[in-house]
Amino acid sequence: MTIAVGDKAPDFELKNQHGQTVRLADFRGEKNVVLLFYPFAFTGVCTGELCALRDELPSFQNDDVQLLAVSNDSPFTLRVFAEKEGLDYPLLSDFWPHGEASRAYGVFAEDKGCAVRGTFVIDKEGVVRWTIVNGLPDARDLSEYAKALQAL
């Protein structure tokens, strides 16, 4: 079951592409969070989405907002991906236990072994204020994230 608007966002603790631990709770009371789940690094649609975020980064990562992108890739894969694509925001590994955070948000596709394209805008109190979940082949519209952030 996917987390819905109004739900408290499940906390998680994941390693980023540099091996550092990132917790959703670290941003509580400090920043709104755009939490983006994507299937895999180095795939066409995912690379396009993450590079579009890179190109508009000040809208999604600033004094008021933190962008967190989560896949089921290993941290080592994410580091190479971030370096290759110039991604200067946290790429979090939901590799082990495999898909634990993705499952908590209801966006893990058991038959594929990866997350589908789920995005959650979480306010400073840790409450989900906006969400969209797309299937594996369907890219998301970044302008919708921006609108959701402006509404906070």
Side-chain angles (χ1 to χ4, degrees), residues 7-127:
D7 289 348
K8 186 148 178 86
D11 199 15
F12 55 78
E13 183 176 301
L14 300 171
K15 298 281 187 194
N16 69 12
Q17 70 266 37
H18 304 292
Q20 301 160 320
T21 299
V22 176
R23 294 171 194 83
L24 181 62
D26 292 344
F27 302 101
R28 208 152 286 140
E30 302 291 323
K31 290 187 175 193
N32 299 305
V33 174
V34 175
L35 179 62
L36 173 117
F37 290 90
Y38 63 101
F40 293 113
F42 295 107
T43 57
V45 176
C46 295
T47 300
E49 284 187 317
L50 295 174
C51 288
L53 284 163
R54 174 200 65 205
D55 296 345
E56 299 293 328
L57 195 57
S59 298
F60 302 104
Q61 185 165 287
N62 53 54
D63 290 342
D64 200 46
V65 181
Q66 179 64 51
L67 173 62
L68 301 174
V70 180
S71 79
N72 302 112
D73 296 297
S74 75
F76 310 106
T77 300
L78 295 178
R79 183 162 189 158
V80 173
F81 182 54
E83 289 172 0
K84 180 180 184 299
E85 300 300 337
L87 305 176
D88 203 19
Y89 53 87
L91 302 182
L92 306 181
S93 173
D94 192 18
F95 183 71
W96 198 258
H98 190 71
E100 185 174 63
S102 306
R103 282 184 183 92
Y105 281 81
V107 295
F108 189 79
E110 296 290 341
D111 60 329
K112 305 286 187 204
C114 66
V116 296
R117 298 179 195 288
T119 305
F120 302 86
V121 173
I122 302 164
D123 70 15
K124 292 176 184 176
E125 286 72 48
V127 176

